[in-house]
Amino acid sequence: MLKKDPLQIIAFQSYGTNSRFYLRGRALEDETIDLEQKGLFKLLINTYKRFESDEVKNVELDLRLPDNTVVKVKTDAHGYFKSEEVLDNLDKLTNKEGWLQVVASYSDVNIKRKITNSNRFPAQVLIPSKTASFGVISDIDDTIMLTGVASILKWRVLVNTFFKGAFKRIPLEGAAEFYNMLHRGVTGEEANPIFYVSHSPWNLYRYLKFFLKTNNFPKGPILLRSMNTIFKKKKGNEKPQKQMEIINILNMYPKLSFILIGDSGEHDADIYIEIAELFPNRILAIYLRCVGHKQKMIRVKGLFDTYKTTPALLVKSSKEAINHARLSGFIK
């Protein structure tokens, strides 16, 4: 009889407000993935484990807040959970950066499986500080990390995802510095929230979180999508998952303005322009990083040349974006 892997809970860095608790995550078997492992064979094994995850479906979890309030939630058929609760004075439970520390656990302590970490799994919900003057919503692929989304047949995406560890992935030059400047704002102490939104599946969550931390990007909610939605055909006028996530953020914080950052490789220009039209006066600027695909850059340049609602820049380097942000009064 094959030995079963122990159980774990991976809580995704999420976001909420003073009165709204919102946390997502997944209950999985622990495949013991070491993100710092080197060697081609080990990288391939780790990649296989990330995508061949064994979910723990239809199980009840406890989410314990610092004041010992316990929120109950149940995983779905794919092991995912999403908790949305109306709670009071959550900002009184956060640290100075606005992070609410939560402990997730399996409700049934008599479950007939070993549970790692003594059945205590850290979770964090960002409740933006009152000192924040704006928020930042950023893409990941080819915006802060070279993935090759614009490459022919997407071959570079495959090479970078399957054959490179997160510790070896190189951030685009100056990106971390720019994001930290935006996070600190013009006073240097604003704690402006940074949200990372990507088309990547949740299977890459820990990989991307490790990349962001290793390369000194500001900590922020990481919003990805389920594997089962990647191959799902969109209905009628249904918006891309990434666009819906951004709209959710804007609706969550109606009094906060945002800067949108992406690249010229895929559909960021179209998505961001549509969002700026949907939320007039809420988008302070759009920065799109140039990627090496001439036709796509020409198309985006054409879009931006005729778009006057929001400052929209196609930039070749972080330095260009930093200069504009400084002149616009977003950073020191």
Side-chain angles (χ1 to χ4, degrees):
M1 185 175 173
L2 288 172
K3 186 181 176 183
K4 290 185 176 180
D5 290 323
L7 305 183
Q8 64 175 338
I9 299 169
I10 299 171
F12 309 137
Q13 283 172 187
S14 302
Y15 59 94
T17 69
N18 182 38
S19 59
R20 187 174 171 192
F21 177 79
Y22 179 65
L23 180 65
R24 292 159 79 171
R26 200 177 189 194
L28 293 167
E29 292 185 5
D30 188 353
E31 304 280 359
T32 60
I33 295 172
D34 182 357
L35 291 165
E36 297 191 56
Q37 274 191 332
K38 299 175 176 65
L40 182 60
F41 179 72
K42 288 177 180 176
L43 285 171
L44 282 171
I45 292 293
N46 278 346
T47 302
Y48 171 76
K49 286 179 178 180
R50 279 200 299 268
F51 286 94
E52 192 282 319
S53 52
D54 294 313
E55 64 275 358
V56 185
K57 57 184 80 170
N58 305 319
V59 67
E60 194 173 77
L61 308 176
D62 290 343
L63 307 174
R64 187 177 294 275
L65 278 60
D67 63 355
N68 284 323
T69 298
V70 175
V71 176
K72 298 277 188 182
V73 69
K74 196 172 185 179
T75 63
D76 65 15
H78 300 283
Y80 291 102
F81 68 85
K82 180 164 71 172
S83 175
E84 294 183 85
E85 297 285 337
V86 175
L87 300 170
D88 294 325
N89 302 315
L90 290 175
D91 61 340
K92 289 186 169 63
L93 304 175
T94 66
N95 63 19
K96 65 178 182 179
E97 286 279 313
W99 288 99
L100 175 69
Q101 309 294 331
V102 180
V103 176
S105 61
Y106 287 90
S107 299
D108 183 3
V109 292
N110 297 313
I111 197 166
K112 292 179 180 177
R113 293 284 292 277
K114 183 183 176 184
I115 302 172
T116 62
N117 217 42
S118 303
N119 196 23
R120 290 175 60 83
F121 301 92
Q124 295 180 314
V125 178
L126 178 65
I127 296 169
S129 165
K130 290 185 175 71
T131 62
S133 59
F134 59 82
V136 176
I137 300 173
S138 172
D139 180 40
I140 296 174
D141 309 322
D142 286 322
T143 300
I144 59 177
M145 177 172 72
L146 182 64
T147 58
V149 165
S151 66
I152 297 168
L153 302 179
K154 305 282 191 273
W155 67 269
R156 280 187 183 162
V157 177
L158 298 174
V159 169
N160 286 324
T161 302
F162 287 88
F163 300 106
K164 280 192 178 179
F167 62 91
K168 286 193 79 174
R169 299 297 292 273
I170 299 170
L172 291 166
E173 190 178 356
E177 178 194 3
F178 181 39
Y179 283 51
N180 278 295
M181 292 170 88
L182 289 170
H183 176 60
R184 293 191 297 267
V186 73
T187 67
E189 297 180 359
E190 289 175 17
N192 296 319
I194 314 281
F195 300 84
Y196 301 96
V197 184
S198 171
H199 282 305
S200 295
W202 285 113
N203 304 64
L204 291 176
Y205 171 77
R206 282 184 293 176
Y207 183 91
L208 295 173
K209 182 184 173 188
F210 183 82
F211 167 84
L212 292 168
K213 185 177 180 181
T214 302
N215 291 290
N216 197 34
F217 281 90
K219 185 164 75 172
I222 301 170
L223 308 164
L224 310 177
R225 60 176 173 164
S226 305
M227 279 288 285
N228 55 310
T229 65
I230 290 175
F231 304 106
K232 189 177 165 187
K233 196 174 179 182
K234 289 189 182 67
K235 299 175 187 173
N237 295 322
E238 189 181 355
K239 302 296 182 190
Q241 175 72 18
K242 183 171 166 182
Q243 187 165 348
M244 291 192 290
E245 290 286 5
I246 295 171
I247 289 169
N248 286 343
I249 295 167
L250 284 153
N251 285 332
M252 181 80 83
Y253 308 110
K255 294 181 180 177
L256 205 57
S257 297
F258 284 86
I259 292 169
L260 306 180
I261 308 177
D263 64 83
S264 63
E266 291 290 293
H267 306 291
D268 288 351
D270 307 86
I271 289 172
Y272 290 178
I273 285 173
E274 190 172 328
I275 285 169
E277 295 294 339
L278 280 171
F279 296 89
N281 308 316
R282 298 264 323 268
I283 307 302
L284 299 174
I286 297 171
Y287 298 118
L288 288 195
R289 187 182 287 274
C290 296
V291 297
H293 193 294
K294 192 175 178 182
Q295 290 305 116
K296 289 182 178 180
M297 284 197 286
I298 290 169
R299 188 185 80 83
V300 171
K301 191 173 184 306
L303 279 174
F304 279 9
D305 283 347
T306 57
Y307 180 70
K308 306 298 177 191
T309 307
T310 298
L313 278 77
L314 192 57
V315 298
K316 291 179 181 176
S317 68
S318 296
K319 194 173 285 186
E320 284 182 48
I322 288 170
N323 288 341
H324 181 271
R326 189 170 280 132
L327 288 171
S328 302
F330 305 147
I331 61 175
K332 274 172 126 175

